[in-house]
Each structure stands twice: as structure tokens, then as C-alpha cells.
Amino acid sequence: MPWFIITFLVQEDESSFVRSVCCSWENDLIDLIDAQALAHAGETSPPARHALASLQQVVPHAHGTGWTVRDIRSVWAANEVPSNEPVVIVEDVGGTQFYCTFPSDEPPIVGERRLVATIGV
């Protein structure tokens, strides 16, 4: 199963630091990015700014002999048709899009996409 490393640049008062978070579920990825957007808008307590600095998707090799890291440029949320189950789609820096499903799964048919984040553009 793929997982993600999300890195935020956090600015509080006069200081700033980098915070990285690992998650393995797509809905957690979307929740973390959406929470970051709220924080960036100043809607947290205490106020802090969280800028999405980088996102990597870590995927197992097809033959089970290690891991590959993809640098992600864009993240979309969509719903699978006809089940209406949530689906996350990521695009790497090379422009290749991946569905966040098990590697052996067929790509789902999805409805309208919502752009959740663009990193480093």
C-alpha cells in the first residue's frame, strides 16, 4: 500500500520550522492538506501559518523488493462512479497521474475532480 510524507513549513510568531508527517490513508492526506489550508488562512488557535512545502508518495516496488519515492506536484479528490466512494489522484513532477489504490487494482472511473493542492508551482 502506498503511503505519503507531507512536509509543511510552519511559521509561528518570529520563528519558523519544518514539520513532516507520514500517513497511509488517502483521506488522511486530504484532511491534512485541508487543515493546512485553514491554518494558512489564520483560522487556527493559536494562529500559525503552515505552507505545504513538499509531498512524496512512497510506493512498493512491483516485485516486493523495496520502495520507490515519487515527488508529487498536484493532488485531486474525486468520487468513484457509480459507488460514490472517495478517490485520491496524485500527479508526480513528471506529469504522470496515479490513483491512490492498491497497485493491482484497475484504475477507477471517477466523476468531477476537486484540486486539493499544488506543490512547488
Side-chain angles (χ1 to χ4, degrees):
M1 177 102 180
W3 51 283
F4 300 92
I5 302 170
I6 309 159
T7 302
F8 298 102
L9 175 61
V10 181
Q11 295 180 321
E12 293 180 353
D13 300 324
E14 298 291 321
S15 63
S16 64
F17 56 94
V18 174
R19 175 177 290 153
S20 293
V21 179
C22 295
C23 71
S24 61
W25 298 105
E26 311 79 62
N27 57 338
D28 291 339
L29 172 66
I30 299 297
D31 290 346
L32 285 166
I33 292 172
D34 285 345
Q36 170 278 139
L38 289 175
H40 191 71
E43 297 178 20
T44 61
S45 181
R49 286 190 11 207
H50 297 69
L52 185 56
S54 67
L55 174 63
Q56 286 82 35
Q57 183 185 38
V58 183
V59 293
H61 282 256
H63 302 291
T65 57
W67 297 87
T68 299
V69 177
R70 296 181 183 133
D71 289 317
I72 302 301
R73 172 176 65 190
S74 300
V75 180
W76 290 274
N79 289 323
E80 189 173 353
V81 175
S83 70
N84 208 33
E85 291 293 318
V87 175
V88 174
I89 304 151
V90 296
E91 180 178 324
D92 68 12
V93 295
T96 304
Q97 294 184 3
F98 302 92
Y99 291 92
C100 298
T101 58
F102 287 102
S104 60
D105 290 347
E106 288 292 318
I109 298 170
V110 299
E112 187 174 327
R113 297 177 179 194
R114 172 179 69 95
L115 182 63
V116 176
T118 302
I119 301 102
V121 175

